[in-house]
Amino acid sequence: MRLNIFFITLIGLVIISISLGAINLRQMDKETREFINTTMLGLFVDWNNSEFLTYTSNEFREKLTNEELSKINLVFQRLGNLLNYHGAQGGVSRNNYWDISVRYKVQASFQNGQFSATITLIKQQEKWTIDRFEYQYSFFPNRRDEGSLKVVLSPR
């Protein structure tokens, strides 16, 4: 009888633990998605290296070179004005009970091209920070290819 009560209690505690963990993950996803959307939208509207660095982790900031910062700054100068921010895709995932990863992909359309970044977040000093920032971009052609547009006139 005592053994049955023990197992029932143990199963109940496991169910409660899993439920609380799921609630915590949903809250974390909401918190990180809000951070990434607000941060990236602000940066995409007016890219500023100094402001970007305020959102990065200490480790990432130490690894980032001035040359890499100059390259990304040049990319945003060439992309021009932001036309559309497409929002963050991804979120919080649990690799096992203790290992949680937070990764988002953000995409935006600019006046002169497209930009996409995969961003990994970590919590540092009780606030979310960017720990990894991998990006790719493509520029739209600056001149029209004359052979791509044909005018067809109908005889009258």
Side-chain angles (χ1 to χ4, degrees):
M1 183 72 163
R2 286 185 189 173
L3 195 56
N4 287 343
I5 293 173
F6 171 76
F7 281 122
I8 291 172
T9 303
L10 183 62
I11 290 171
L13 289 174
V14 168
I15 290 171
I16 290 171
S17 176
I18 290 171
S19 297
L20 290 175
I23 291 168
N24 191 23
L25 282 180
R26 280 195 296 269
Q27 179 59 34
M28 187 184 298
D29 186 59
K30 180 181 175 189
E31 189 178 305
T32 56
R33 189 174 302 275
E34 184 177 313
F35 167 79
I36 202 73
N37 280 327
T38 303
T39 302
M40 296 318 297
L41 180 58
L43 287 168
F44 288 168
V45 167
D46 185 26
W47 184 266
N48 179 302
N49 285 344
S50 298
E51 186 178 349
F52 173 66
L53 290 174
T54 64
Y55 297 113
T56 60
S57 69
N58 296 334
E59 294 82 11
F60 182 66
R61 205 173 306 122
E62 289 171 7
K63 291 178 192 175
L64 201 56
T65 66
N66 286 335
E67 183 180 332
E68 290 169 324
L69 277 173
S70 294
K71 281 182 183 178
I72 193 168
N73 194 51
L74 182 60
V75 166
F76 280 104
Q77 285 176 3
R78 289 187 60 201
L79 283 170
N81 295 327
L82 176 69
L83 299 177
N84 194 350
Y85 175 66
H86 304 287
Q89 303 292 318
V92 178
S93 62
R94 186 183 298 271
N95 301 333
N96 58 45
Y97 191 76
W98 305 109
D99 188 22
I100 296 173
S101 67
V102 183
R103 183 173 294 135
Y104 290 97
K105 182 173 184 173
V106 295
Q107 296 179 328
S109 302
F110 289 83
Q111 184 178 17
N112 299 318
Q114 301 285 332
F115 185 86
S116 174
T118 301
I119 303 166
T120 304
L121 302 178
I122 63 167
K123 201 162 198 176
Q124 198 168 62
Q125 299 168 351
E126 297 303 313
K127 68 177 189 171
W128 289 104
T129 60
I130 297 169
D131 194 47
R132 192 167 189 172
F133 188 80
E134 301 169 71
Y135 65 94
Q136 54 189 120
Y137 56 90
S138 61
F139 296 116
F140 297 139
N142 288 333
R143 59 187 175 83
R144 193 178 87 200
D145 182 0
E146 297 298 326
S148 66
L149 181 62
K150 305 281 186 202
V151 177
V152 178
L153 298 176
S154 60
R156 290 190 186 231

